[in-house]
């Protein structure tokens, strides 16, 4: 990995040679998350945006020269990345904005953005000669790791809170993962996974402690910029649980800026659920995210429920260094955003993904984004991930199926009663 210079501890700034540390800074334990440093001159001299477009690699691996893997490493065969991004003019207009795009990362193979870091984890585990792969997860990272491990023919062990949505657990089981449903919350599952890995030498993909996860997640930012012809945005909205996606998006944009492929850094907005607002609270109160005590997290958006965000330093830096903001949204606003986004764009999002849209609605209301801003909203997971929440969202929007008898007369009565098809023929 000649293009990787080292790994820098975000607490003390110490830089470690690649291969000298596996997960975190030895001096700072789980708090000492590491940032991967690159030799941008070397990368820039050997590849250009055009080369990436023409690459023989698929999906996120087109960006291989910018990823921390060995040149000869084999990647899992599942197609990850290259997800669509849509302009959403009707939705934009409803907020008084003109240029808004929705990046649908629910279109990944296991239906969330987590396929990007998990694919990278499978490669890093193989490079490390690891046997069993493991992760703690609210559900999507687990589904992603299970799917990618299945594709690569590798075993994995998953720690999820017993409350994880059934669709996510069903994915894990069908992919053949060994699933430990922990009677506790995500934070407890995380600790247990950490202890087990330390004791048994498993390869741990868990967010925050594994420095490569934000490197996988950053590929979504590359794609967004590429899809806009490398014309940088002004604002990006990302929902935040552990903060790894937000930190990853920031990292991707920092890479592109360092390479001169984009000309300015967009403002980054981290959207948190009101009941899981560790970072938003720290940011508003001027508290140090490193030492702030964990909160008790509760939200309908299970994927962003985190009492102690594991990548809080990367997430905090993303907002601070880009002059963005943290925005909080209520569970009601999150559920309301699901049908709004689905009807306005055709993108069906799970609660945590719709939260990013709800955050843009808030931000537009506060005047944080203006009519001329070019804005991207990352939809991080599919609505099919949590059907119970989707059903609640539809109910809250007043939408319900119309029940009718199985005869023509009943059909005509229903059409008349509900004014169906009028003015459309
Ligand atoms: C994991 C996840 C998030 C939050 O990502 P973090 O890195 O934990 O902040 C948001 N949305 C979905 C759908 C996710 O799976
Ligand atoms: Zn350190």
């Amino acid at each position: 990995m000649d293009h990787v210079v080292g790994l820098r501890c975000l607490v003390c700034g110490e830089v470690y040679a690649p291969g000298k540390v596996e997960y975190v800074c030895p001096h700072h334990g789980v708090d000492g998350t590491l940032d991967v440093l690159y030799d941008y001159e070397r990368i820039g001299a050997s590849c250009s945006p055009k080369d990436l477009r023409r690459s023989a690699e698929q999906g996120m691996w087109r960006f291989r020269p910018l990823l921390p893997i060995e040149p000869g490493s084999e990647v899992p065969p599942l197609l990850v990345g290259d997800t669509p991004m849509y302009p959403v003019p009707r939705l934009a207009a409803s907020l008084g904005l003109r240029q808004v795009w929705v990046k649908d990362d629910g279109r990944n193979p296991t239906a969330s953005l987590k396929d990007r870091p998990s694919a990278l984890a499978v490669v890093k585990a193989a490079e490390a000669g690891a046997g069993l792969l493991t992760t703690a997860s609210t559900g999507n990272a687990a589904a992603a790791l299970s799917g990618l491990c299945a594709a690569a023919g590798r075993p994995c062990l998953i720690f999820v809170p017993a409350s994880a949505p059934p669709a996510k657990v069903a994915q894990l089981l069908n992919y053949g993962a060994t699933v430990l449903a922990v009677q506790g919350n995500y934070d407890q599952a995380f600790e247990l996974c950490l202890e087990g890995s330390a004791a048994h030498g498993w390869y741990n993909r868990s967010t925050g402690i594994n420095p490569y996860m934000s490197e996988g997640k950053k590929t979504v930012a590359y794609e967004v910029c590429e899809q806009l012809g490398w014309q940088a945005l002004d604002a990006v909205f990302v929902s935040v649980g552990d903060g790894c996606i937000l930190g990853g998006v920031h990292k991707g944009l920092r890479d592109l800026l360092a390479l001169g492929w984009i000309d300015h850094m967009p403002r980054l907005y981290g959207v948190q659920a009101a009941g899981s607002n560790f970072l938003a609270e720290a940011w508003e109160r001027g508290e140090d995210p490193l030492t702030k005590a964990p909160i008790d997290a509760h939200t309908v958006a299970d994927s962003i429920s985190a009492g102690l965000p594991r990548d809080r330093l990367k997430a905090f830096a993303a907002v601070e260094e880009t002059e963005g903001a943290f925005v909080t949204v209520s569970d009601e606003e999150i559920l309301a955003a699901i049908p709004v986004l689905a009807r306005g764009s055709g993108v069906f999002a799970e609660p945590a993904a719709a939260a990013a849209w709800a955050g843009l609605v808030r931000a537009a209301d506060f005047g944080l984004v203006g009519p001329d801003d070019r804005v991207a909203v990352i939809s991080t997971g599919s609505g099919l991930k949590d059907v119970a929440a989707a059903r609640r969202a539809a109910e809250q929007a007043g939408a319900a199926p119309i029940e009718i008898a199985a005869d023509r007369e009943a059909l005509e009565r229903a059409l008349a009663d509900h004014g169906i098809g009028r003015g459309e023929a």
Side-chain angles (χ1 to χ4, degrees):
M1 294 198 297
D2 292 338
H3 61 305
V4 175
V5 181
L7 294 101
R8 188 173 54 95
C9 170
L10 294 184
V11 177
C12 66
E14 180 91 25
V15 176
Y16 300 94
K20 278 276 176 288
V21 284
E22 196 167 20
Y23 299 114
V24 291
C25 172
H27 304 299
H28 292 96
V30 289
D31 290 338
T33 45
L34 301 173
D35 182 32
V36 182
L37 306 176
Y38 294 88
D39 181 345
Y40 293 111
E41 253 176 58
R42 182 187 277 267
I43 295 171
S46 72
C47 81
S48 70
K50 265 204 198 113
D51 297 333
L52 299 179
R53 199 57 270 177
R54 287 195 294 251
S55 165
E57 307 266 358
Q58 296 267 304
M60 65 181 272
W61 305 113
R62 289 191 299 110
F63 302 103
R64 195 170 173 134
L66 292 139
L67 293 173
I69 60 174
E70 301 289 352
S73 288
E74 210 178 302
V75 302
L78 227 45
L79 175 59
V80 178
D82 271 345
T83 58
M85 184 165 75
Y86 308 110
V88 290
R90 275 180 294 140
L91 284 174
S94 73
L95 302 177
L97 305 175
R98 283 195 278 271
Q99 304 185 84
V100 182
W101 290 266
V102 173
K103 173 77 167 163
D104 186 9
D105 241 45
R107 287 279 301 275
N108 274 302
T110 79
S112 86
L113 186 148
K114 298 295 197 303
D115 286 325
R116 298 176 187 269
S118 297
L120 189 55
V122 169
V123 177
K124 295 310 289 179
E127 286 180 359
L132 192 63
L133 278 80
T134 189
T135 193
S137 164
T138 57
N140 283 342
L145 186 64
S146 306
L148 270 303
C149 278
R154 295 180 138 266
C156 70
L157 176 65
I158 301 296
F159 293 73
V160 284
S163 61
K168 296 181 182 180
V169 178
Q171 274 186 295
L172 308 178
L173 297 170
N174 280 289
Y175 282 131
T178 304
V179 181
L180 297 169
V182 179
Q183 286 166 1
N185 59 21
Y186 166 61
D187 303 279
Q188 291 167 302
F190 187 99
E191 289 299 337
L192 202 55
C193 177
L194 199 60
E195 284 175 36
S197 308
H200 300 282
W202 307 321
Y203 186 82
N204 193 339
R205 172 244 175 270
S206 291
T207 297
I209 62 142
N210 189 313
Y212 300 112
M213 297 305 92
S214 39
E215 300 300 312
K217 289 175 178 182
K218 74 182 182 182
T219 58
V220 74
Y222 297 162
E223 288 179 17
V224 166
C225 292
E226 185 183 49
Q227 283 163 321
L228 293 174
W230 306 100
Q231 300 292 307
L233 290 148
D234 300 303
V236 183
F237 284 77
V238 181
S239 58
V240 175
D242 276 317
C244 184
I245 298 180
L246 183 60
V249 166
H250 186 215
K251 181 60 174 288
L253 293 166
R254 280 194 288 141
D255 287 348
L256 298 180
L257 201 58
L259 288 164
W261 295 2
I262 57 171
D263 65 6
H264 70 275
M265 175 61 75
R267 305 187 306 276
L268 297 185
Y269 293 93
V271 183
Q272 291 215 284
S276 180
N277 65 345
F278 181 104
L279 284 158
E281 192 174 80
W283 189 73
E284 276 158 23
R285 295 181 180 170
E287 293 171 327
D288 183 352
L290 185 61
T291 52
K292 179 177 167 64
I295 62 167
D296 196 15
H298 292 283
T299 168
V300 66
D302 66 293
S303 302
I304 50 172
S305 185
L308 181 65
R310 300 292 169 168
D311 247 329
R312 54 199 183 282
L313 299 184
K314 287 181 183 174
F316 218 70
V319 163
E320 287 212 315
E321 290 173 18
T322 67
E323 291 171 9
F326 282 102
V327 178
T328 53
V329 290
S330 67
D331 278 5
E332 268 210 343
E333 289 171 284
I334 290 171
L335 288 178
I338 295 175
V340 166
L341 187 59
R343 292 166 194 198
S345 71
V347 173
F348 185 30
E350 71 165 271
W357 184 266
L360 172 60
V361 173
R362 275 254 162 159
D365 199 33
F366 292 159
L368 294 174
V369 290
D372 294 325
D373 279 333
R374 290 157 56 83
V375 182
V377 176
I378 317 279
S379 183
T380 42
S382 163
L384 294 174
K385 287 279 194 170
D386 188 349
V387 172
R391 194 67 197 242
R392 268 178 69 194
E395 269 162 28
Q396 190 181 289
I402 302 163
E403 296 203 0
I404 62 165
D407 61 62
R408 180 64 191 273
E409 197 186 321
L411 171 63
E412 294 303 327
R413 200 166 344 110
L415 296 182
D417 287 353
H418 296 274
I420 298 166
R422 256 186 233 148
E424 278 175 17

